[in-house]
Amino acid sequence: MNRWDVDQESLAETPDIAALAALLADRTRAAICMALLDGGSWTAGELAEYASVAPSTTTEHLNLLVSGGLLAEERRGRRRYVRLAGPDAAEALENLAGLAPYRPVPIRSLAEANQRRALHHARTCYDHIAGALGVALAEAMTERGLLARDYGLVLTAAGDRWLTALGIPDTGPSAAHRAHVRTCFDWTVRRQHLSGAVGAALYRHAVDRAWIVKSPTTRILSVTAAGRTAFRDRLGLPDEALCPSLAPAAPRG
């Protein structure tokens, strides 16, 4: 047998995109994953209520998502909690949402319309800011030379000094090998928002300084009066980027 011969039982590995697609082909499983983009841990009962399906059905879906590697689980006493497997899973979901076609859904009340508008304006994407606000932050930082596009987005020396001046700790590569600067394709605005370690650090700082407040039951973020002042002063964000009622509708292309 020469060196090009291969034993019939030898195996190679290749990405099984079809298996991942099959996990998300069910709308209930897709809805569960999108809910978990809030970065938190949910019980099966909470997700069953959110998705409006029976607890037993939810458990079946969660078992598939955990075994497929999209979700991770942990036990706290007798309770089982699930969360996204990590930032890579969150980024993949957000990017898929950006590529997916729009599907019309009914709006049954003014409160629901306002909630959807707020979700499009500012929300969590796992551990960073998404929506019109997230896109505006990334674009303002690029325009001011804090970020540069060089085979992808990178933090400049000016950006590093800007973070230090804000009091944001070192966001360099960690033992977890978290990417320093990455982008997600935002599904509502159809442009890039900032993720990676820098995006996560900026989100934590904004929460700690009460520039933004997260809804206790949804992914929605609200910009406070202090936040509007801070984002205007530090990045020159206009009013339409800071208020959901003024945020432009997402383009349909």
Side-chain angles (χ1 to χ4, degrees), residues 18-233:
L20 177 61
L23 282 175
L24 296 171
D26 181 274
R27 284 209 168 105
T28 298
R29 289 197 292 272
I32 287 171
C33 289
M34 292 299 285
L36 290 170
L37 276 172
D38 71 347
S41 296
W42 294 47
T43 66
E46 289 169 336
L47 288 168
E49 183 177 357
Y50 172 84
S52 299
V53 295
S56 58
T57 302
T58 302
T59 297
E60 293 174 5
H61 286 312
L62 294 180
N63 289 341
L64 288 171
L65 291 167
V66 170
S67 63
L70 277 176
L71 303 187
E73 64 178 348
E74 61 178 307
R75 296 280 179 177
R76 301 178 193 170
R78 300 179 62 183
R79 290 193 171 221
R80 177 200 196 192
Y81 288 81
V82 294
R83 54 179 171 77
L84 289 180
D88 287 342
E91 183 179 342
L93 287 168
E94 188 80 0
N95 285 331
L96 282 173
L99 292 172
Y102 282 106
R103 176 172 63 92
V105 293
I107 303 295
R108 298 180 177 87
S109 67
L110 178 60
E112 190 174 343
N114 288 335
Q115 184 180 58
R116 182 163 292 272
R117 186 180 296 110
L119 184 73
H120 284 213
H121 170 245
R123 65 183 182 276
T124 55
C125 177
Y126 190 64
D127 62 358
H128 55 272
I129 302 170
L133 177 62
V135 170
L137 287 171
E139 293 183 348
M141 290 177 71
T142 303
E143 290 169 2
R144 289 176 173 242
L146 309 177
L147 297 171
R149 297 190 179 277
D150 182 16
Y151 301 103
L153 214 58
V154 297
L155 186 71
T156 64
D160 188 57
R161 291 192 297 271
W162 183 79
L163 291 174
T164 300
L166 282 180
I168 295 178
D170 181 23
T171 56
S174 66
H177 303 293
R178 180 77 187 275
H180 193 213
V181 176
R182 296 185 75 168
T183 57
C184 289
F185 188 64
D186 198 282
W187 63 268
T188 50
V189 184
R190 301 283 182 167
R191 298 201 297 274
Q192 302 286 341
H193 65 244
L194 179 65
S195 61
V198 171
L202 188 57
Y203 167 68
R204 289 193 301 271
H205 183 81
V207 170
D208 290 344
R209 294 295 188 278
W211 295 352
I212 53 176
V213 176
K214 183 181 178 300
S215 163
T217 58
T218 71
R219 297 169 56 196
I220 292 172
L221 298 172
S222 300
V223 183
T224 65
R228 288 192 290 273
T229 298
F231 288 132
R232 284 195 201 101
D233 292 348

Side-chain angles (χ1 to χ4, degrees), residues 5-27:
D5 291 329
V6 178
D7 189 308
Q8 290 184 353
E9 294 186 0
S10 297
L11 296 174
E13 292 185 337
T14 189
D16 192 352
I17 297 175
L20 177 61
L23 282 175
L24 296 171
D26 181 274
R27 284 209 168 105

